[in-house]
Amino acid sequence: MTVEPYRSPTLQARRAQMFPVLADEDIARLRRFGAARRYADGECLFETGKTSPGMFVVLSGVLRITGRDGHGHDLLIAELSAGGFSGEIGQLSGRRALADGVAAGAVEALLVVPEQLRALLVAEADLGEEIMRALILRRVGLIEMGAGGPVLIGAPSSPDMARLRSFLTRNGIPHLVFDPANDPDAHGFIERYAPRPEDMPLVACPDGSVLRNPAENELARCIGMLDAADAERVHDVAVVGAGPAGLATAVYAASEGLSVLVIDARAFGGQAGASARIENYLGFPTGISGQALAGRAYTQAQKFGARMLIPAEAVRLDCGRPEERDPLALELAGARSVRSRTVVVATGARYRRPDCADLKALEGRGVWYWASPIEAKTCAGQEVALVGGGNSAGQAAVFLAGHVAK
Ligand SMILES: Cc1cc2nc3c(=O)[nH]c(=O)nc-3n(C[C@H](O)[C@H](O)[C@H](O)COP(=O)(O)OP(=O)(O)OC[C@H]3O[C@@H](n4cnc5c(N)ncnc54)[C@H](O)[C@@H]3O)c2cc1C
């Protein structure tokens, strides 16, 4: 008997869309995008935490997909037979795998590498829609399971836990949180690593490394978010900021065939990503959550080949090029730089801060500039003061009212 890996009824109901079976004529259409290969029983086609070679379309045999539950157990996600295909949205940009794929018996499969996968999605629109929908839903499923990403160990209410969770959630990275107060495995883990209080939370990454209260960019590097960095490459367009403006730029530039690099200091979606519900965005008559809107734009940009470098902060634009044809140099924090023929600055707004002493020290530790479900959980049952009178404050008041005491 197969155990249903998803809790949410929505995902359970959409299982057929998550794991569609391609017809023979569909497979014939996508053969030109891949190369057929044979795999022996037990052979690993892709492994959690390691760069996946691409999407596998099963031609014969069974490909078993499992996720990891953070306690050392495998969870069966799917068994793909002829017409099934592997992958989730990270395959568009050649990211590290969030699940394991092992041949159960002899398997023949078509390997479609990321560049060819993007070409397929654009060239075969109807087939591409079916595949894209499945890849997106699978990432949603992995986020729900927490499979394939880092495991955060520490008190769920600690500010640093909230900081790291917010970073991972805003970037659509699956993760798990284990509280040593009620999880014996987490307790044992802490005894083994004997962290000082300031080392908490600990983060166990899929590659086996353990980080102690990491900064966001340290965590990002460990889980492969910064794999897109390539100092040698000259892009046509570098976009600073992955808010709605930056992502729209990326979609249009990349869909016109330009090579695009998007850089954001924190997460895709910008301010809009923090919005509980956006009612006035063109094309969404029933409204859409900011995170869902941003996720769609982020995926759409990658479908056209835009590369994402997040988190990376642009600190200086060097326009002093010796020749007019030379690329511009965009310096990033951490003594890195990228080169591009054009730079679009879409860095949005800075928050106006109230004039309070020591406010900076309390940011992320009781003072927030938005109210997402993570902040709502942190403030649950407490009294909250909201500063501001614009529509964001109104939206936050309505949202928080359902979670806080007053
Ligand atoms: C809670 C909330 C709810 C909202 N709801 C609505 C709504 O319902 N309807 C509506 O129309 N508007 C709404 N807004 C406003 C809307 O989200 C913004 O107008 C919109 O996001 C602006 O888009 P942008 O891309 O210009 O900038 P931003 O969204 O601000 O994005 C800028 C991005 O640039 C990045 N960045 C900044 N500096 C650097 C740097 N040096 N290096 C790298 N990256 C950098 C930031 O991290 C950020 O991701 C809301 C805003 C908030 C905060």
Side-chain angles (χ1 to χ4, degrees):
M1 193 186 82
T2 308
V3 178
E4 174 60 59
Y6 306 113
R7 285 191 311 271
S8 115
T10 313
L11 285 178
Q12 289 176 14
R14 298 187 74 176
R15 196 165 171 95
Q17 289 183 322
M18 283 174 104
F19 297 101
V21 178
L22 303 177
D24 289 347
E25 53 271 27
D26 293 334
I27 294 178
R29 276 160 67 196
L30 54 79
R31 269 186 189 272
R32 68 188 168 104
F33 297 97
R37 296 183 184 187
R38 291 178 189 281
Y39 301 89
D41 179 29
E43 200 171 331
C44 181
L45 281 69
F46 52 90
E47 189 180 345
T48 301
K50 298 197 173 152
T51 304
S52 168
M55 180 179 92
F56 292 92
V57 183
V58 180
L59 301 174
S60 66
V62 173
L63 175 58
R64 204 176 144 82
I65 313 292
T66 53
R68 302 181 186 180
D69 75 347
H71 289 284
H73 307 125
D74 287 343
L75 299 167
L76 180 63
I77 296 176
E79 286 184 324
L80 306 174
S81 48
F85 55 90
S86 71
E88 55 83 42
I89 207 67
Q91 258 66 76
L92 280 183
S93 48
R95 298 285 167 152
R96 298 184 194 177
L98 299 174
D100 301 309
V102 174
V107 167
E108 189 182 8
L110 197 67
L111 170 60
V112 183
V113 299
E115 195 181 350
Q116 286 301 305
L117 175 58
R118 295 194 299 268
L120 154 69
L121 295 178
V122 174
E124 297 284 349
D126 49 343
L127 192 53
E129 185 181 335
E130 189 175 1
I131 294 173
M132 186 75 149
R133 187 187 302 115
L135 302 186
I136 293 171
L137 285 171
R138 290 173 190 179
R139 172 62 72 98
V140 174
L142 287 163
I143 290 173
E144 187 196 274
M145 292 165 70
V151 179
L152 279 53
I153 299 145
S157 58
S158 90
D160 282 313
M161 181 67 92
R163 171 178 64 81
L164 294 173
R165 289 199 69 190
S166 162
F167 171 71
L168 293 167
T169 304
R170 289 286 303 273
N171 281 294
I173 308 287
H175 60 277
L176 292 165
V177 175
F178 291 165
D179 181 359
N182 54 32
D183 187 310
D185 283 354
H187 187 71
F189 197 84
I190 287 181
E191 282 194 338
R192 187 163 149 219
Y193 284 90
R196 296 165 298 168
E198 62 270 29
D199 291 337
M200 296 296 288
L202 297 177
V203 181
C205 295
D207 69 356
S209 46
V210 175
L211 307 176
R212 294 164 187 261
N213 193 12
E216 283 87 332
N217 59 358
E218 194 186 347
L219 172 58
R221 193 167 303 113
C222 193
I223 59 177
M225 286 175 69
L226 296 174
D227 289 353
D230 179 357
E232 297 309 312
R233 186 161 173 186
V234 177
H235 293 88
D236 293 321
V237 186
V239 184
V240 186
L247 291 176
T249 306
V251 167
Y252 292 119
S255 67
E256 291 296 334
L258 300 172
S259 66
V260 179
L261 179 70
V262 181
I263 296 156
D264 198 290
R266 187 177 151 71
F268 66 82
Q271 295 172 67
S275 178
R277 193 142 203 96
I278 295 180
E279 301 280 0
N280 61 345
Y281 200 79
L282 190 72
F284 293 91
T286 55
I288 183 168
S289 80
Q291 179 84 18
L293 180 68
R296 285 169 187 232
Y298 178 69
T299 304
Q300 194 178 10
Q302 289 182 85
K303 172 176 124 172
F304 291 117
R307 301 165 78 228
M308 301 288 167
L309 192 58
I310 303 174
E313 186 187 6
V315 291
R316 187 167 176 271
L317 175 60
D318 185 358
C319 302
R321 33 190 185 171
E323 300 283 336
E324 205 179 319
R325 292 168 62 92
D326 288 346
L328 299 161
L330 190 61
E331 289 180 21
L332 309 180
R336 289 175 299 159
S337 68
V338 292
R339 293 183 302 151
S340 181
R341 295 183 187 88
T342 324
V343 174
V344 177
V345 179
T347 48
R350 278 183 198 277
Y351 294 105
R352 191 150 50 94
R353 289 166 161 76
D355 189 15
C356 302
D358 297 330
L359 189 68
K360 188 116 189 89
L362 294 170
E363 286 174 1
R365 296 162 188 273
V367 174
W368 288 277
Y369 293 93
W370 51 78
S372 76
I374 293 176
E375 285 75 34
K377 209 178 267 179
T378 311
C379 304
Q382 299 181 44
E383 293 193 2
V384 173
L386 214 61
V387 181
N391 66 335
S392 297
Q395 213 174 45
V398 172
F399 174 64
L400 287 174
H403 297 83
V404 302
K406 193 173 168 192

